[in-house]
Each structure stands twice: as C-alpha cells, then as structure tokens.
Amino acid sequence: MASRTATDLVHPDRTQLRFTTVLAALSDPVRLAIVARLADVEPDGELACTTFALPVSKSTQSGHFKILREAGVIRQRDEGIRRLNRLRRDDLDAHFPGLLDLAIPQGRDVIANWDSKAR
Amino acid sequence: MASRTATDLVHPDRTQLRFTTVLAALSDPVRLAIVARLADVEPDGELACTTFALPVSKSTQSGHFKILREAGVIRQRDEGIRRLNRLRRDDLDAHFPGLLDLAIPQGRDVIANWDSKAR
C-alpha cells in the first residue's frame, strides 16, 4: 500500500452532512455492525479497523469504513500502523436526532445474528 | 400497459419491514419528497401517483414508488385508472420510531428547493 497520511482521510464538516448520504451509509448490515461496535466504546473510545472481526474480506471492510467516513458517520485517524475509528455522535445527533439510536440496536442485532451462526 | 390487478402490488407485512431496506428507500431526494407530500395528507389522505409533479420521467417516478412500496414505506392501491398512495405511518412508527419524523422535513426541504429553482 502507498504511504498514508492524515490528509488522505476526507471527512465532511458537520454542516456538510447530508441526510440521504447518511441513510445510504447506514443501510447495510456490516456498516450497522460497525456503528454498534463503536457505540459500545462511546463517548471517548476508538477502535482500530483490525479489531472488528467482520465476516467480509479486508478490502470490502475498508470500503465499508470509507463509506461511513465520507458520509460523516465515523471519524478516522491514523496512529502508527493503526487506523482508529470513532462515532461522530455529536454531529449526527445535532443534525438527525434519534437516527443513531435507531441504528445502534439494529447493528447489535446483526452482530448477535452472526454470533449465533458462528456457534 | 397490461391489465393491473391488486395482486401485482406486493406489500411487506409489518413484521417483514427491514431497517436497511427502509433506510435505502429513504436515501433518495425524490423519494423523500414523495414521503413529505404524503405526510401532508395524513392520516387518512391518499394521493394518486399522477399528482406529485416530480421532476423525473414517468417511468423513473414509477420506480421510486415501487421502491417505497416494497420497502414498506407506502401502501398503494388501484382505484379505476388511478394508483393511490398513502404513508404506512403506523407500521413505520411501530418499528422505527422517529424515523419518518426525521425524513419528512428533509423531503419538504427537497420540495422547497425544487420550487425555488422553478420560480
């Protein structure tokens, strides 16, 4: 992979969040699962991309994180070789109150369903 | 057009509504505008497809209505040559409380933006 710098990570400003883009970002079970995992470490927690144990390939996973970041759902930053993720709770709640609180239990259901199949 | 019967109009049961499908249905400005127009005639009002004056072709419009219906956002029924639409407010509020109330103002913004460009 080419060297990554912080400037690679494009984030929309709070004022640039668009409802249709955020809904599209949340309309996928893998992305809902990512959101639910990040909600578990709020408000200050960050999780590295490598810790999510998602049932998709690494490149598919990267695509999901990118969609969430570019929609403004998550904030990403690089720390050494790790890419850390956190929910943009404040920004989302300010623009679309209640939306994250609908999405998080849906993501938990997705994870529970994966876990039950893995057992 | 081939004859249409009520059986052509597939609607998911309330128990079949899926969050990801509903979000995908709402993640489009034209569909948000349809939802906002239908919200204006709640709780008992229905609007014919031909009354929406959407800035898209008739076939594109039909596709948008179909996506909303198959996601469970609207209910459609045929009355003579008209296809009537209504919001599935009760079902959506029961499953995803607050989601419609986020979507409706967004749809109103879309319509206001179209109107301002048309003037």
Side-chain angles (χ1 to χ4, degrees):
Chain A
M1 186 185 295
S3 66
R4 290 190 312 210
T5 67
T7 55
D8 290 330
L9 295 172
V10 175
H11 292 87
D13 290 341
R14 176 189 285 212
T15 60
Q16 294 174 313
L17 298 193
R18 294 188 59 215
F19 188 65
T20 49
T21 309
V22 171
L23 286 199
L26 295 175
S27 67
D28 177 274
V30 173
R31 294 195 292 270
L32 286 175
I34 292 170
V35 166
R37 287 286 313 278
L38 291 175
D40 286 339
V41 298
E42 287 188 292
D44 297 316
E46 293 171 300
L47 292 176
C49 290
T50 52
T51 65
F52 281 80
L54 302 169
V56 295
S57 72
K58 190 170 171 179
S59 66
T60 299
Q61 179 172 317
S62 295
H64 285 308
F65 281 107
K66 180 168 186 271
I67 289 169
L68 287 169
R69 172 168 50 79
E70 292 184 345
V73 176
I74 65 172
R75 194 170 290 282
Q76 294 191 299
R77 68 182 182 91
D78 289 337
E79 188 178 77
I81 60 166
R82 298 190 310 164
R83 179 155 289 180
L84 297 170
N85 302 275
R86 63 189 303 165
L87 265 188
R88 291 181 65 176
R89 159 76 70 174
D90 289 351
D91 294 339
L92 291 164
D93 282 358
H95 276 271
F96 315 120
L99 182 58
L100 262 189
D101 291 324
L102 284 174
I104 290 163
Q106 298 285 336
R108 293 199 176 119
D109 286 349
V110 170
I111 294 169
N113 191 39
W114 288 339
D115 290 347
S116 70
K117 283 181 181 160
R119 271 198 294 273
Chain B
M1 188 184 293
S3 66
R4 290 192 311 208
T5 67
T7 54
D8 290 329
L9 295 171
V10 175
H11 292 87
D13 291 340
R14 175 189 283 210
T15 58
Q16 293 174 313
L17 299 192
R18 293 187 60 214
F19 188 65
T20 50
T21 310
V22 170
L23 286 199
L26 294 175
S27 67
D28 177 275
V30 173
R31 295 195 290 270
L32 285 175
I34 293 171
V35 166
R37 287 285 313 279
L38 291 175
D40 286 339
V41 298
E42 285 188 293
D44 296 318
E46 294 172 298
L47 293 175
C49 289
T50 52
T51 64
F52 281 81
L54 302 169
V56 294
S57 72
K58 191 171 170 179
S59 67
T60 300
Q61 181 173 315
S62 295
H64 284 309
F65 280 107
K66 181 167 185 269
I67 288 169
L68 288 169
R69 173 169 48 79
E70 292 183 345
V73 176
I74 65 172
R75 194 170 289 284
Q76 294 190 298
R77 68 182 181 92
D78 290 337
E79 189 178 77
I81 60 167
R82 300 190 309 164
R83 180 155 289 182
L84 297 170
N85 303 274
R86 65 187 303 164
L87 265 188
R88 292 182 64 174
R89 160 75 72 172
D90 289 351
D91 294 339
L92 291 164
D93 282 358
H95 276 271
F96 315 120
L99 182 58
L100 262 189
D101 292 325
L102 284 174
I104 290 164
Q106 298 285 335
R108 293 202 174 114
D109 286 350
V110 171
I111 294 170
N113 191 40
W114 289 340
D115 290 348
S116 71
K117 283 182 179 159
R119 271 199 295 270

